[in-house]
């Protein structure tokens, strides 16, 4: 394994100072490390923190969270080092930013169980290979980290993106927007799913000629004055009614622009973002296309701590999606705060999920090109 020789010296030094980690059944301690935000971010960190805390409180397990002092792999690694030194042996990491930390720490701490959410093969390779050519099929990813004690979960974003696009058109919106962050695979899957969902809903309604999607990436994961001005044009000049803001903090630009035009709406992403988006205007958020971070945390902690079944998950990279016709049991879903109406009710949503789960509706995860659709989609590339 290539990584073994790169981290051996560091592991030897850490072994002299770290507290021995016990993996005995009933002797687990759970730590969560935040990425570059905090546990009040209404996103990955807060959702993961609350899920870990709820599980540990209910089951009498010691739990602590660590916030790195800055946004870098070295600082995230330092938080892992601290957690291990304090005896924590299950470490939960939310977000792709942890790929570098996994590469650096997984072999250093072979008795620690690492649960990484939304970290995929490409993230690991990019973190581990200086000249990575963004062709993941050319590499065996386990050559670049110690996979024996790591569980990686990614999500089928195209499915919840589809739900959001379908819901928006069924709710009566005809001029939609998609504002992605950077055009990384997860964001593109959300966007292409959104387009497919809007298209299928329009076809069911016989409204293909009436539905338009404006489609753009900000080329960054945060909003700023330039992106807000771009959104101003969409809402104020082009007549866009609702924008799916998909990419970290980029929602701020969509929400700032929507607040200036009465009745304008935003769709959140990853977690239920209604609380933070609606701060810009009451009722602004019609739904959020969610990843099931909390169900993932609950499943893995249950399997590790209560069922002593880590072996079934160690070394796995699972692509999580629909596991039930019951929406809230799935790893991709619409937010509980979704604003149902007469043309798209909660029962309609349940019927949609049932059809998707049973295979009556299929959603492509191909991101090589925009899906062929009957509605109008105007692609603009990157704003910046």
């Amino acid at each position: 394994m290539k990584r073994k020789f790169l981290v051996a010296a560091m592991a030897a030094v850490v072994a002299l100072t770290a507290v021995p980690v016990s993996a005995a059944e009933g002797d687990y301690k759970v730590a969560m490390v935040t990425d570059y935000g905090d546990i009040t971010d209404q996103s990955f960190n807060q959702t993961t923190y609350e899920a870990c805390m709820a599980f540990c409180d209910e089951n009498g397990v010691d739990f602590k969270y660590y916030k790195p002092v800055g946004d870098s792999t070295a600082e995230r690694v330092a938080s892992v080092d601290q957690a291990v030194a304090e005896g924590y042996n299950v470490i939960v990491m939310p977000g792709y930013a942890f790929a570098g930390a996994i590469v650096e720490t997984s072999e250093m701490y072979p008795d620690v169980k690492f649960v990484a959410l939304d970290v995929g093969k490409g993230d690991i390779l990019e973190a581990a290979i200086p000249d990575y050519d963004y062709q993941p099929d050319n590499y065996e990813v386990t050559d670049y980290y110690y996979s024996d004690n790591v569980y990686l979960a990614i999500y089928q974003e195209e499915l919840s993106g589809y739900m959001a696009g379908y819901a928006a058109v069924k709710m009566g919106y005809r001029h939609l927007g998609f504002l992605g962050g950077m055009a990384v695979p997860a964001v593109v899957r959300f966007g292409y799913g959104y387009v497919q969902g809007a298209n299928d809903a329009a076809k069911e309604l016989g409204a293909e000629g009436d539905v338009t999607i404006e489609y753009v990436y900000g080329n960054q994961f945060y909003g700023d004055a330039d992106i807000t001005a771009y959104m101003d044009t969409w809402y104020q000049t082009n007549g866009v009614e609702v924008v799916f803001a998909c990419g970290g903090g980029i929602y701020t630009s969509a929400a700032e622009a929507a607040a200036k035009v009465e009745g304008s709406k935003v769709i959140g992403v990853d977690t239920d973002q209604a609380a933070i988006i609606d701060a810009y205007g009451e009722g602004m958020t019609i739904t959020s296309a969610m990843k099931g971070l909390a169900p993932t945390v609950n499943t893995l902690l249950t399997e590790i701590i209560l069922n002593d079944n880590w072996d079934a998950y160690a070394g796995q990279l699972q692509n999580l999606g629909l596991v039930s016709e019951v929406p809230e049991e799935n790893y991709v879903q619409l937010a509980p705060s979704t604003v149902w109406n007469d043309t798209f009710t909660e029962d309609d949503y349940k019927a949609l999920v049932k059809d998707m789960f049973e295979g009556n509706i299929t959603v492509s995860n191909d991101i090589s090109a925009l899906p062929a659709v009957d509605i109008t989609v105007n692609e603009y590339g990157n704003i910046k």
Side-chain angles (χ1 to χ4, degrees):
M1 182 178 294
K2 299 175 184 178
R3 289 297 307 168
K4 286 184 177 179
F5 301 102
L6 298 178
V7 302
M10 186 181 299
V13 172
V14 173
L16 296 175
T17 57
V19 174
V21 177
S22 170
E25 184 177 2
D27 194 22
Y28 287 111
K29 296 175 69 175
V30 177
M32 175 223 164
V33 181
T34 64
D35 55 5
Y36 43 79
D38 58 39
I39 59 170
T40 61
D41 67 355
Q42 294 286 331
S43 189
F44 267 50
N45 292 302
Q46 183 168 346
T47 301
T48 305
Y49 168 77
E50 290 175 350
C52 288
M53 184 173 61
F55 176 91
C56 292
D57 283 351
E58 182 177 347
N59 293 285
V61 177
D62 191 3
F63 170 67
K64 183 176 180 179
Y65 85 93
Y66 295 81
K67 181 180 178 180
V69 297
D71 178 16
S72 72
T73 290
E75 286 156 328
R76 284 182 277 273
V77 168
S79 289
V80 173
D81 290 341
Q82 183 182 355
V84 174
E86 294 178 2
Y88 289 87
N89 50 18
V90 179
I91 298 181
V92 182
M93 303 168 160
Y96 71 93
F98 281 99
I102 291 165
V103 170
E104 295 298 330
T105 62
S106 56
E107 190 169 7
M108 289 163 55
Y109 303 119
D111 293 322
V112 172
K113 295 169 174 57
F114 294 97
V115 176
L117 310 177
D118 212 33
V119 180
K121 180 178 181 178
D123 302 315
I124 296 290
L125 295 174
E126 185 174 2
I129 305 173
D131 57 349
Y132 177 51
D133 60 8
Y134 295 93
Q135 300 296 324
D137 291 342
N138 294 341
Y139 303 89
E140 180 56 58
V141 68
T142 53
D143 286 347
Y144 296 91
Y145 75 109
Y146 186 77
S147 60
D148 291 3
N149 61 337
V150 178
Y151 169 80
L152 305 177
I154 56 175
Y155 298 88
Q156 295 173 35
E157 294 92 354
E158 69 278 2
L159 299 183
S160 54
Y162 179 97
M163 295 173 194
Y166 185 94
V169 171
K170 285 287 189 170
M171 288 175 178
Y173 299 100
R174 295 294 178 266
H175 201 165
L176 285 59
F178 176 82
L179 171 62
M182 298 181 71
V184 298
V187 173
V188 178
R189 284 192 294 269
F190 268 126
Y192 286 5
Y194 181 66
V195 169
Q196 292 175 73
N199 182 70
D200 285 358
K203 289 171 68 175
E204 288 180 16
L205 296 170
E208 301 96 311
D210 299 327
V211 175
T212 299
I213 298 179
E214 314 294 347
Y215 195 105
V216 77
Y217 299 100
N219 203 30
Q220 61 191 39
F221 285 121
Y222 55 91
D224 64 15
D226 294 333
I227 296 175
T228 299
Y230 200 97
M231 292 295 100
D232 284 339
T233 300
W234 276 12
Y235 282 115
Q236 296 180 28
T237 305
N238 296 353
V240 170
E241 301 164 283
V242 58
V243 171
F244 182 14
C246 178
I250 205 164
Y251 76 87
T252 59
S253 282
E256 287 170 4
K260 300 170 188 173
V261 181
E262 185 177 357
S264 294
K265 303 297 183 181
V266 174
I267 295 170
V269 75
D270 289 335
T271 63
D272 190 343
Q273 290 193 309
I276 53 173
I277 295 175
D278 285 1
Y280 292 84
E282 184 177 356
M284 182 180 290
T285 315
I286 62 169
T287 192
S288 295
M290 292 175 49
K291 298 178 183 179
L293 302 177
T296 311
V297 167
N298 191 64
T299 296
L300 266 294
L301 294 184
T302 297
E303 291 293 273
I304 293 168
I305 296 171
L306 302 186
N307 297 341
D308 192 28
N309 195 30
W310 169 246
D311 287 347
Y313 294 87
Q316 295 291 310
L317 195 170
Q318 293 187 331
N319 189 7
L320 303 177
L322 300 178
V323 295
S324 170
E325 67 179 50
V326 180
E328 58 269 23
E329 293 178 357
N330 291 314
Y331 293 104
V332 287
Q333 56 186 265
L334 294 183
S337 65
T338 299
V339 182
W340 315 110
N341 65 14
D342 291 342
T343 56
F344 190 69
T345 66
E346 188 169 8
D347 286 341
D348 293 331
Y349 169 53
K350 291 177 180 178
L352 172 66
V353 171
K354 185 175 187 291
D355 276 341
M356 294 173 71
F357 176 69
E358 292 179 346
N360 299 321
I361 295 173
T362 58
V363 184
S364 172
N365 64 357
D366 181 5
I367 58 173
S368 61
L370 187 77
V373 291
D374 298 307
I375 61 175
T376 299
V377 181
N378 300 314
E379 289 186 272
Y380 301 105
N382 291 321
I383 296 173
K384 307 188 76 168

